[in-house]
Amino acid sequence: MATTLTSSRIETRPNWAEVSLSALRHNFRVVQQHVGADVTICAVVKCNAYGHGVEDCAPALEQAGAKWFGVTSTDEGIVLRGVGVRGRILVLCGLYPGEEEEALRNSLTPAVFRLEQAQDLARAADRLGLAGPVAVHLKIDTGMSRLGLPLADLESFAEGIKLLPQIALEGVFSHLASSEVLDDEHTAHQIERYNVALRTLANHGLHPPLRHLANSAAVEGRANTWHNFVRPGLLLYGYEYGLSRQDGSPVSDVPHLPLKPVLSWKTHVLGLRDVPAGQPLGYGGAYVTPAPGRIAAVSVGYGDGLSRKVSVRNGHDPALCHIHPSVGHGEVLIRGQRAPIAGRVSMDLTLIDVSHVPGAAIGDEVVLIGRSGNQQITAWDLARSSDTVVYETLCNLSKRVPRRHAE
Ligand SMILES: Cc1ncc(COP(=O)(O)O)c(C=O)c1O
């Protein structure tokens, strides 16, 4: 196998993610067209662009027209500046005390959800001798009860921030807990409380020009949350969360956006063996071959981000008896065919059953996410067999997996 040299490291192990920057740019344009030119998109690129490699993805999004980026923290924002991103960067979870000067030096725009954060920023702006006021976005809690200023504290916040000439309240936002459930009452209440908060601020003479509520599902299905600014993440990477109703039924009257999955994840067959019936495979012998067959060892494991929950078990495994039986139907693609995972995923290796795949050979490409022939496994498919959501599956792709970005 040829050794590949990337800018940061030498790759020898055949396990990599292919990231299509043209698909990413396409998805940005699809979302922009959907919300219209008057609505600003804040491209959410936190957590290494949902595992896609932010150092390449953020500049690609900027090329596609992104003017704003959403990150979790100051350090993520600094990474964007380091790769030359010039757009505005919103730090969604705000600053940790002591980071203010660093954030301001890097022209980051913090979320604030306590008056003290704005006061700390004002003092940092004085110390740095900044010419103009520092823009902040107020995050309010409208019902998710995670992070955000409680509505009960809004009036005192409004009075307090007016005393800080160094601070400009540029934005006000909130996050929806169940935006994908279109008839969800709690979401309706959240939207209502957000509108009340805007009125309260207006009563105090505050009219933040940027107003935002919508994540991906709300971008898709709730135009009443768009205001003039939206914060999609997942859609940009080519996935919908899936709109539904409270009774669990899928929504059919909202057209799907023509998105393209951005990331494929691939590896190779490292070993191959013929096994008799009754052969326990891998750790704990958690899978016992029901018939003679052919088993391939492939270069992927939980050390790469493949959840151990996709393990397929059928044998006696006392260590597993407390794990819920419904999880674990992992599959991969090889030579255009689906092949089940056999036994427990380990740190570096996973076994797959290739008994039905003629010609399967050492060195064959194995697809964990992506296409092979006319078969496809999406990140959502992998998430379901891991008992989780697509976000976690993408973010869990570990550092050990090099991201190969292609135009
Ligand atoms: C505050 C905030 N806004 C926007 C997003 C983007 O969400 P999504 O990927 O569902 O669009 C997130 C993601 O968790 C978030 O925390």
Side-chain angles (χ1 to χ4, degrees):
M1 220 265 312
T3 297
T4 309
L5 246 180
T6 64
S7 54
S8 53
R9 61 185 256 209
I10 298 168
E11 295 168 22
T12 57
R13 185 165 171 263
N15 181 325
W16 70 99
E18 292 170 5
V19 178
S20 164
L21 298 178
S22 60
L24 183 69
R25 285 190 288 258
H26 163 88
N27 295 337
F28 179 86
R29 288 190 286 263
V30 165
V31 175
Q32 186 71 75
Q33 203 169 11
H34 178 65
V35 296
D38 294 341
V39 177
T40 299
I41 295 175
C42 177
V44 177
V45 293
K46 60 186 180 149
C47 197
N48 195 25
Y50 289 35
H52 290 64
V54 75
E55 297 180 5
D56 293 84
C57 289
L61 286 162
E62 195 158 47
Q63 276 169 18
K67 300 275 185 284
W68 278 84
F69 298 86
V71 298
T72 302
S73 49
T74 298
D75 50 1
E76 287 190 355
I78 292 172
V79 169
L80 262 61
R81 292 292 180 229
V83 294
V85 167
R86 302 167 71 101
R88 301 284 304 274
I89 299 175
L90 180 59
V91 183
L92 292 163
C93 288
L95 308 185
Y96 292 89
E99 288 180 352
E100 295 80 10
E101 288 188 27
E102 196 58 25
L104 296 181
R105 271 195 288 270
N106 284 280
S107 303
L108 307 183
T109 303
V112 295
F113 39 88
R114 283 192 300 269
L115 184 60
E116 302 82 74
Q117 294 173 309
Q119 291 164 337
D120 287 346
L121 273 163
R123 282 189 285 271
D126 284 343
R127 286 196 299 275
L128 293 176
L130 297 185
V134 171
V136 300
H137 288 215
L138 168 63
K139 179 167 192 175
I140 52 176
D141 176 21
T142 52
M144 189 163 172
S145 289
R146 192 176 63 167
L147 196 66
L149 182 81
L151 282 188
D153 298 342
L154 187 57
E155 304 225 22
S156 58
F157 179 92
E159 284 309 306
I161 204 158
K162 284 197 289 187
L163 301 176
L164 301 172
Q166 307 93 325
I167 303 295
L169 188 61
E170 180 187 42
V172 58
F173 74 108
S174 190
H175 197 46
L176 300 172
S178 306
S179 59
E180 71 282 2
V181 185
L182 289 192
D183 55 353
D184 180 56
E185 285 164 28
H186 298 291
T187 308
H189 289 146
Q190 281 198 270
I191 294 170
E192 209 174 287
R193 285 189 204 113
Y194 180 77
N195 292 331
V196 168
L198 291 180
R199 287 199 291 276
T200 305
L201 290 171
N203 290 340
H204 286 265
L206 294 169
H207 304 276
L210 301 178
R211 300 174 298 281
H212 43 118
L213 259 184
N215 63 349
S216 287
V219 164
E220 271 199 283
R222 293 177 178 275
N224 64 334
T225 62
W226 296 351
H227 296 273
N228 57 0
F229 196 94
V230 292
R231 306 185 309 267
L234 191 63
L235 292 176
L236 301 176
Y237 308 102
Y239 289 99
E240 299 174 318
Y241 190 78
L243 303 176
S244 64
R245 307 225 178 259
Q246 262 177 317
D247 63 8
S249 58
V251 168
S252 52
D253 50 349
V254 177
H256 291 288
L257 296 175
L259 304 169
K260 297 181 183 171
V262 171
L263 180 143
S264 305
W265 184 16
K266 298 179 179 174
T267 181
H268 277 191
V269 171
L270 185 63
L272 200 60
R273 68 185 58 221
D274 291 316
V275 290
Q279 174 68 51
L281 301 178
Y283 281 122
Y287 183 90
V288 180
T289 49
R294 181 157 260 224
I295 299 295
V298 298
S299 295
V300 64
Y302 57 76
D304 305 296
L306 182 65
S307 169
R308 205 161 164 274
K309 289 186 179 170
V310 303
S311 304
V312 178
R313 307 168 292 264
N314 64 359
H316 170 68
D317 185 358
L320 290 171
C321 59
H322 48 274
I323 291 181
H324 196 276
S326 68
V327 181
H329 301 282
E331 287 182 327
V332 299
L333 305 178
I334 175 169
R335 293 187 176 233
Q337 297 209 46
R338 307 183 91 83
I341 289 172
R344 277 194 196 163
V345 170
S346 54
M347 190 183 294
D348 312 314
L349 292 168
T350 296
L351 300 176
I352 61 171
D353 187 343
V354 292
S355 308
H356 59 297
V357 183
I362 287 176
D364 275 1
E365 184 173 282
V366 172
V367 176
L368 297 142
I369 299 174
R371 288 181 182 280
S372 175
N374 55 17
Q375 295 290 326
Q376 183 179 20
I377 293 178
T378 68
W380 251 128
D381 296 329
L382 183 53
R384 287 194 188 96
S385 57
S386 318
D387 190 25
T388 187
V389 289
V390 66
Y391 298 85
E392 188 180 355
T393 296
L394 292 170
C395 290
N396 275 357
L397 218 66
S398 81
K399 262 193 178 158
R400 187 163 82 166
V401 180
R403 276 54 162 186
R404 297 183 187 166
H405 295 90
E407 286 302 314

